[in-house]
Amino acid sequence: MSGAQRLNWVSRPATALRGDVVVPGDKSVSHRSMMLSGIAEGTSYIRGFLEGEDTRATAAVLAQLGVAIEAPSAGERIVHGVGLHGLRASNQPLDCGNAGTGMRLLAGLLAGQAFDSTLIGDESLSKRPMRRVTDPLAKMGAQIDTQDGLPPLQVRGGRKLHGIRYELPVASAQVKSALLLAGLYAESSTEVIEPHPTRDYTERMLQAFGWPIEFSPGYAKLEGGHRLRATDIVVPADFSSSAFFLVAASILPGSTLRLPAVGLNPRRTGLLEALRLMGADISIENQSKSGGEAVGDLIVRHAPLHGIELPEALVPDMIDEFPALFVAAAVAKGRTVIRGAAELRVKESDRIATMAAGLRALGVRIEETPDGAIIDGGIINGGTVDSHGDHRIAMSFAVAGLVARDAITIGDCANVATSFPGFLELANSCGFSLG
Ligand code: S3P
C-alpha cells in the first residue's frame, strides 16, 4: 500500500475488445457499508463488497475498534454491529492506507466517540488536505489535530458535539458524509448544503439502516439520538471502474463490451453524458433497482469521438473519471476543453499535472490550466509515463496503450489494487495486451 514495491506495466496496441466485463463492487458504497454496519445494532450481511486495499483498510479499522467481521467468501462480509456507542479504543494508529474516503469519513465517525484515535495513511494520503473536514467538525465541537492540515489526524474523544448548518465551499461527498456521521452523535440537527449535489450514498444508507434523515439533491439534514438497525447491503459494480472499459471500447475500432449490473446513481454517471456528447455509442439495458440503487448493463461499442467543451455542471458527477476522459480527449478529433475541475489537483495525485505530463510524453498536445486542461486530440505515441502511484492514472494509461502507435510503459502501478483488484487479468480477458 505504501508503494514500497514499484510495479510497472506495459500496455501494447491491441485489435478489438470483446466480451462481458464484470467489474468489482463500488468503492464508495463498500466504505460506507462497513462503517454503518459496524455501528449498527445486529448483524448485517454485505454482498459485492470491494476487495480492494482501500475498503479492506476501512474494514480493518472497524475490526481494530472492536467490530467482529466475518469474510466467508470474496465480496461477502458478515458484520456484527456493536451499536452507536459500542466501539472501543485502539492503542494502535488506524491505518487508512491510500483512502481519502476512509480517512475523512472515519474522522467524522470518530469525532463523536468517547476515546481518542489516530488516523494515518500512506505517502499519498499523507499529502491530502484534511482541513476541509476538520474545520467544520471543529465547529461541531470536535477536536482533531492535523500536521498543518495534513494527516496523521489525532481525534480527541469525549467531546460533546452539537449540530451545525454548514454550506460546503467545495462540492464533496466525503466532507458531507463526515459531517453526517458526526451528526449521529451530536445534539440537535446537522444540516449540510452543497454548492452542487454530490453522491448521496451516506444519506441513502443511513435511511436503509433506519435513521431518520431528510435529503434531496444538494441538501441533507439529520439529528442525533436515534439508532441504526442492521440491514443487508448489495454493493453494485463500480461505475468508476467501468469507466476505463467505456473509454477503451469507445476508442478502439471493432470493440463491443457489455458491463453487467453497474451502479448508475446519477451523481456518478457524468462520464456517460460526456462521452455521449463526444459521439460515443453507449446504451443501457436491464435497468433495475438493487438495494435502492439504480443498476443496469452498459453496452459500449466503438465510435469515432470528437472534442467538446465539457459542461462544468458535469464535473462533480464524474470527478473520478477525468483521467479516463483525458485519454478519450487525446484520441478524439479536435479540441476538448475542461474547466472547473481544480479538485483534481488534490486527489490521489495531482491528476491534471500527472495526466498532462504523461500525455505530453506520448506526443499529445495538452495545455494545463489551473482548473482543467485543453487537449487537442490526435495520435498517441508509445513511450514511458509515471502514474505517481495513482490507481486511476495507471489504468487510464493502460487504456491509452490500446490505441498508441507503440507500447506504453507505465510506472508505479501497484496501487491499482486499492480500487480495482484483478484489473490486469480482466483487461486482458477482453482483449487488452497488458503485462
Ligand atoms: C468519494 C467522494 C469523492 C471521490 C472519491 C469518493 C466518496 O471525493 O473523488 O473517490 O466516496 O464520498 P470528494 O468528496 O473529495 O470529491
Side-chain angles (χ1 to χ4, degrees):
M1 233 179 287
S2 61
Q5 144 208 34
R6 239 190 115 85
L7 174 71
N8 297 340
W9 282 349
V10 179
S11 179
R12 297 196 159 77
T15 44
L17 304 179
R18 299 231 169 237
D20 282 12
V21 177
V22 180
V23 305
D26 189 276
K27 182 156 72 72
S28 294
V29 176
S30 295
H31 278 299
R32 288 160 172 83
S33 70
M34 199 42 76
M35 293 181 203
L36 292 191
S37 58
I39 55 165
E41 293 171 25
T43 301
S44 297
Y45 292 82
I46 306 172
R47 277 189 289 142
F49 183 77
L50 171 64
E51 298 287 358
E53 288 172 357
D54 276 12
T55 44
R56 284 177 169 207
T58 290
V61 167
L62 269 301
Q64 229 176 307
L65 296 169
V67 179
I69 302 166
E70 297 171 61
S73 67
E76 223 185 318
R77 291 294 186 280
I78 301 172
V79 183
H80 301 280
V82 295
L84 210 58
H85 299 285
L87 297 177
R88 291 196 311 265
S90 170
N91 53 12
Q92 295 297 317
L94 305 167
D95 190 351
C96 301
N98 191 246
T101 308
M103 183 172 281
R104 294 191 178 119
L105 270 61
L106 284 167
L109 179 63
L110 292 170
Q113 306 299 325
F115 52 83
D116 295 352
S117 310
T118 303
L119 290 165
I120 60 170
D122 72 1
E123 199 187 321
S124 148
L125 183 52
S126 300
K127 291 186 197 134
R128 297 184 64 190
M130 291 295 147
R131 285 211 173 103
R132 53 181 59 201
V133 282
T134 57
D135 283 353
L137 287 172
K139 288 188 206 291
M140 295 178 75
Q143 192 193 333
I144 304 178
D145 301 329
T146 65
Q147 313 296 309
D148 266 337
L150 303 178
L153 301 183
Q154 310 281 349
V155 187
R156 307 288 167 198
R159 312 275 305 180
K160 214 172 160 64
L161 303 186
H162 51 84
I164 55 168
R165 179 185 157 91
Y166 189 65
E167 293 194 21
L168 265 71
V170 180
S172 165
Q174 294 179 358
V175 177
K176 169 178 64 175
S177 302
L179 301 187
L180 294 176
L181 291 174
L184 303 181
Y185 295 88
E187 263 177 12
S188 70
S189 59
T190 300
E191 216 176 335
V192 187
I193 297 113
E194 302 178 287
H196 184 100
T198 64
R199 64 195 73 188
D200 55 3
Y201 299 123
T202 306
E203 297 90 308
R204 285 162 179 266
M205 210 181 281
L206 281 168
Q207 196 169 52
F209 277 89
W211 195 284
I213 176 165
E214 201 186 308
F215 66 98
S216 56
Y219 178 79
K221 182 180 179 186
L222 56 70
E223 50 182 40
H226 299 279
R227 299 156 72 184
L228 295 168
R229 283 184 300 275
T231 189
D232 296 344
I233 295 166
V234 181
V235 181
D238 197 318
F239 183 88
S240 297
S241 296
S242 308
F244 304 105
F245 293 96
L246 296 181
V247 171
S250 294
I251 63 176
L252 186 63
S255 299
T256 303
L257 291 178
R258 173 183 287 267
L259 303 151
V262 178
L264 297 175
N265 182 309
R267 300 279 72 86
R268 296 290 300 283
T269 51
L271 179 77
L272 209 57
E273 214 168 308
L275 287 175
R276 282 174 171 161
L277 288 173
M278 296 174 84
D281 178 355
I282 303 171
S283 53
I284 304 175
E285 289 179 6
N286 299 323
Q287 270 186 280
S288 65
K289 287 257 177 190
S290 169
E293 284 294 332
V295 295
D297 299 351
L298 296 173
I299 293 91
V300 51
R301 296 182 181 83
H302 166 260
L305 302 184
H306 55 81
I308 54 165
E309 295 233 353
L310 183 76
E312 269 190 57
L314 283 180
V315 169
D317 295 346
M318 53 178 291
I319 195 65
D320 291 334
E321 282 60 79
F322 279 92
L325 180 80
F326 274 48
V327 172
V331 177
K333 189 169 163 39
R335 174 168 284 192
T336 294
V337 181
I338 297 162
R339 292 191 198 92
E343 271 296 292
L344 296 177
R345 296 207 178 269
V346 290
K347 294 292 178 190
E348 285 83 329
S349 69
D350 174 341
R351 288 184 171 158
I352 297 176
T354 44
M355 284 308 297
L359 287 174
R360 226 176 270 126
L362 302 174
V364 176
R365 280 176 54 199
I366 172 164
E367 185 191 322
E368 229 185 277
T369 61
D371 66 344
I374 301 165
I375 304 166
D376 287 311
I379 296 219
I380 300 184
N381 293 323
T384 299
V385 299
D386 191 340
S387 80
H388 291 269
D390 184 331
H391 54 137
R392 299 199 199 281
I393 303 289
M395 290 185 274
S396 297
F397 281 113
V399 171
L402 291 169
V403 296
R405 278 193 165 159
D406 211 339
I408 299 178
T409 300
I410 311 157
D412 204 1
C413 298
N415 275 341
V416 167
T418 60
S419 71
F420 203 148
F423 172 78
L424 188 134
E425 294 76 13
L426 192 61
N428 285 334
S429 77
C430 71
F432 278 66
S433 177
L434 183 63

